[in-house]
Structure formats: C-alpha cells, structure tokens
Amino acid sequence: MEIYLDNSATTKVFGDVSEICVKVMTEDYGNASSMHHKGVVAEKYLKDAADKIAKTLKAKPKEILFTSGGTESDNIAIIGGAKAHHREGKHLITTCIEHPAVLNSMKYLEEQGFEVTYLPVTEEGIIDTDELSSAIREDTILVSIMAVNNEIGSLMPIAEAGRIIHSANPRILFHVDAVQGYGKLNLNPKQLGIDLMSVSGHKIHGPKGIGFLYIKDGIRIVPITYGGGQQGGMRSGTLNIPGIAGLGRAAEESYAGFADKIDKLYILKERLIKGLTEELSDIRINGIDTSDRHISALSDEELSEVIRKTAPHIISVSVKGVRAEVLLHALEDKEIYVSAGSACSSNHPQVSGTLKAICLPKELYDSTVRISMSEFTTDKEIDETVKAFKEIVPMLREFSRR
C-alpha cells in the first residue's frame, strides 16, 4: 500500500482540478488578453477563479494577483513592497525560521542597502510578540511573518502581530507567507491586519506553477517584472489560465466542509504522535509545548490541547541514533513517503535554520523527518506508518551502533 505523507512538499490534485485544467488546455485554450471569443472565454475562467479565491478570504476579487507560486508571491510582496516605500524608511523585520523565498528576498534587499531584523523563536517555533514590538522602529516599512512553519508546523500569532504592527504605525506593510497555512487555517486578511499574503496552488491539491498574492485594496507595491502589462501591470506575462482555473477550483474545494476536514487532520495527528511515542523510545516531536513533560505522560485531553495549538497537518519527528536520510529510504522501501526536513531545502545538505532556531540538540539535527498529511490521509495509513517506524527504527539503531 502506497502511503504519501509528504503533502507539505506537494499534493495530489483534486480530480475535478485535473479535469478543468485539461479542458482549458485542450478546448478553452485562448489567451485572456485576446479580444476574440476564445479570449473572452479564457477571461471568464480568470474572473471565476479570482471570485472563488476571494470568497475564501472574505476579500475582493481585485485583491488577488495571480503568480507562479509561493516564491514569486513572496518576492513581489517583499521586494515590491520595500521598493515602493523606501523613501519612508529602509528597515524590515522577519523571523529567523522563514522559507528561503522570504529569507533570500531579505538578503537581496540587504545588499541593496536595507536593514533587516530577524526575530528569534521559542523552542516551539513561535515569535515573542514583545520582541516584535521592540523591533519596530520609526523607519520600519515592512514586516514578514509566516503563518505556519513548513518544517515543524508551528502557528505564528498572526492576529496579535497584525495588531502590534499597525498600532505602532498603520503605514507598515504586514506580509504573511501563508503557503502552508492557506487551506488549513481560516484566514481573513482584513480581520488579521494582513496587507499582503502569499499562497501556492500545489500545496492545496491545485496545479504546480500557480499561486496568488493577496494585495489589500489601496496597498502600494511596485512590480518586479516588466512586459506586456497584464494584471494591471503588476505582473506581466501571458496568464496561466489552466493553472488559474485549477487553483480557483482547488481553493473552493479546500474550504468546503473545512471544519470537519481540519478536525479529522488533528485526530490523525494525535493518533500518529501517540502511536510513535508509545512504541518508540528516544524520539522527540518538535514544535509541541509539553512544558518539559514527556508526551507519553500527558492525558488524551492534554495531548489534544497541545496539538491543537499547532498546524493540523505537519509533524516533525527526531529519532535519536538514526540518520533522517536512512530512515526516509527505509520507509520508502515500504512505500511510505516522508521528507527529511523540508523538501525545499533537502537538496542542500546544510543544517536546517528552523531546527537550530528551536534549540534542537545538535545530535538530532540530522535525525529529523517531516510527516505531512492531507485530507486524503486515513487511519489505516497512520497505523501502518507507526508499525513501519516500530519495525525499522530499532533495526537502524542497531546497525548504526556497529
């Protein structure tokens, strides 16, 4: 039985997403900029997708800018936002556990003369909002904080951060990288004080190569690419209508029956964590605040309470004495697919900045895997995964001691 537990890397598209993408590619394949009938049909898909996405955010369709995915959305928000407001100041704030799409945008801006403050996080991977408050200066123009950490599933205090930032200065732009949060959290940008928000399609059972940036009505950023002036000049280039149509459908479907889907994911997360911690010694579940108690010492109610303070779909597990890559491939032999750290950084053999930031013991840096679920994950798949860990880990530990 194939068990796919790497859904934070990418997801299987919904069946009707696949159908609409094929229809647009093979039948309704016009260019949305064309003035003839085919172009009008293509433009309808564009408007329909923007309507569907805006509805999930309680936003306006004109606040949705289609991009190629999370990385481009982050780049446009941060670089375009900073360049639009550089006369008001050159100070930016972010956290030390952001995705490389944010951190490398910040690095680029530092090379252009901007100054960046990187906020530390707690052992649970969360910023201290007092430190955010202290970091804001008169020349701060943009703050970027992720909604959900992609490696350990920590939930950032977005609503409180939004209040703090805009109380200090309503002109500061608040950008949220919601690539791992959209589809798993109820995100109402207006209520949360978010000005800019990045989302990727393939994390929510949509196509790859498509995403969007929410830009609050009235917020000024400048484009970072130039060409034919599509999407009001903010993002030039022929629109990816098959991807956009698929993304709109995926967004709508992700939020259908939302509460039940998220509750199911939390129940599966509890089942997995309980199974692993009961069956194996010397493992650590990262990003969960147990107040120095071992997870096995928590009652079911206490375990449920601490787990529901994290994202519903991501579990970071450190297995003492076993290299993550070896464990990943041993699980792969059983057709169970997980990730060693985050997929975005697994091609670069360096210690994860997130694992360092949460003060994980050094001996566990290279012994941490990420398990990430989707609404298609089942009880049976979780039980089989626990069973596989129980069989594999003692064997690998014995082998590593020789």
Side-chain angles (χ1 to χ4, degrees):
M1 179 172 71
E2 181 178 296
I3 301 174
Y4 184 74
L5 294 172
D6 198 13
N7 290 281
S8 286
T10 196
T11 55
K12 177 176 79 173
V13 297
F14 288 128
D16 52 355
V17 167
S18 171
E19 284 170 18
I20 197 170
C21 289
V22 170
K23 185 172 189 297
V24 177
M25 285 191 286
T26 58
E27 297 176 31
D28 301 330
Y29 48 82
N31 186 327
S33 298
S34 297
M35 295 178 71
H36 52 64
H37 175 68
K38 283 280 191 190
V40 173
V41 172
E43 194 177 13
K44 279 185 183 170
Y45 282 106
L46 174 70
K47 287 181 177 172
D48 182 59
D51 284 344
K52 286 186 166 100
I53 292 166
K55 202 171 170 186
T56 67
L57 300 173
K58 294 185 170 51
K60 302 170 189 169
K62 69 176 182 178
E63 294 176 314
I64 307 302
L65 178 77
F66 290 103
T67 67
S68 63
T71 293
E72 187 186 358
S73 296
D74 286 341
N75 276 244
I76 294 173
I78 295 167
I79 298 172
K83 288 192 170 180
H85 296 269
H86 72 280
R87 288 190 179 85
E88 298 154 38
K90 287 203 163 187
H91 179 239
L92 316 167
I93 299 172
T94 190
T95 81
C96 58
I97 64 166
E98 297 292 314
H99 187 277
V102 169
L103 294 175
N104 286 332
S105 295
M106 294 290 179
K107 191 176 171 187
Y108 165 77
L109 288 169
E110 284 181 301
E111 290 166 358
Q112 305 302 309
F114 288 83
E115 187 183 346
V116 182
T117 297
Y118 297 89
L119 298 173
V121 294
T122 64
E123 287 187 12
E124 289 73 46
I126 299 166
I127 59 162
D128 180 334
T129 49
D130 288 339
E131 288 186 297
L132 168 63
S133 188
S134 301
I136 295 172
R137 312 187 320 209
E138 280 189 10
D139 61 341
T140 303
I141 55 169
L142 184 145
V143 178
S144 181
I145 299 173
M146 63 194 343
V148 172
N149 179 263
N150 52 311
E151 292 186 51
I152 62 172
S154 52
L155 289 178
M156 288 293 186
I158 295 299
E160 192 178 352
R163 279 194 295 275
I164 289 168
I165 292 163
H166 290 139
S167 297
N169 180 355
R171 292 176 63 82
I172 297 174
L173 299 183
F174 182 30
H175 167 248
V176 171
D177 178 342
V179 167
Q180 295 292 344
Y182 183 75
K184 303 296 186 301
L185 307 173
N186 264 319
L187 292 167
N188 181 329
K190 216 164 271 176
Q191 279 186 357
L192 296 168
I194 297 171
D195 299 307
L196 302 157
M197 190 174 81
S198 304
V199 171
S200 177
H202 73 106
K203 310 291 191 184
I204 58 161
H205 307 284
K208 292 176 179 63
I210 189 71
F212 70 84
L213 176 65
Y214 162 84
I215 306 174
K216 184 182 170 186
D217 193 12
I219 290 296
R220 187 168 60 88
I221 61 173
V222 298
I224 60 171
T225 56
Y226 297 91
Q230 288 88 345
Q231 298 196 79
M234 274 309 303
R235 199 258 185 183
S236 290
T238 302
L239 286 158
N240 173 8
I241 299 298
I244 288 170
L247 173 59
R249 186 66 62 89
E252 184 178 48
E253 199 159 326
S254 290
Y255 280 93
F258 180 75
D260 289 342
K261 287 179 188 173
I262 299 307
D263 194 50
K264 178 195 160 191
L265 281 173
Y266 274 124
I267 290 168
L268 289 174
K269 186 168 182 175
E270 289 169 36
R271 191 182 187 99
L272 178 65
I273 290 174
K274 203 172 172 191
L276 290 176
T277 51
E278 283 178 357
E279 296 292 350
L280 293 165
S281 59
D282 287 332
I283 69 165
R284 170 177 168 141
I285 309 297
N286 300 308
I288 291 181
D289 180 10
T290 60
S291 301
D292 295 330
R293 293 166 67 193
H294 191 271
I295 284 179
S296 60
L298 301 178
S299 68
D300 287 350
E301 292 73 21
E302 288 171 327
L303 181 61
S304 176
E305 189 180 340
V306 296
I307 285 176
R308 284 173 190 254
K309 290 178 182 172
T310 66
H313 58 307
I314 298 174
I315 303 103
S316 171
V317 187
S318 297
V319 182
K320 190 176 177 184
V322 178
R323 286 186 59 218
E325 191 179 338
V326 175
L327 176 56
L328 181 152
H329 289 304
L331 289 167
E332 183 184 13
D333 287 343
K334 292 180 176 291
E335 293 189 289
I336 299 173
Y337 301 101
V338 302
S339 165
S342 76
C344 301
S345 61
S346 56
N347 288 331
H348 303 284
Q350 58 187 17
V351 177
S352 152
T354 298
L355 299 184
K356 275 186 185 173
I358 63 171
C359 300
L360 190 72
K362 281 185 182 175
E363 67 267 25
L364 297 180
Y365 283 172
D366 191 32
S367 300
T368 302
V369 295
R370 179 185 68 183
I371 297 169
S372 49
M373 306 179 294
S374 79
E375 63 179 81
F376 297 117
T377 306
T378 65
D379 287 357
K380 189 177 179 189
E381 289 176 337
I382 294 301
D383 292 344
E384 287 296 319
T385 302
V386 171
K387 188 178 160 193
F389 267 79
K390 187 183 173 187
E391 288 172 8
I392 291 169
V393 169
M395 185 180 66
L396 294 179
R397 281 177 172 160
E398 182 61 33
F399 183 75
S400 68
R401 277 196 285 266
R402 289 179 187 171

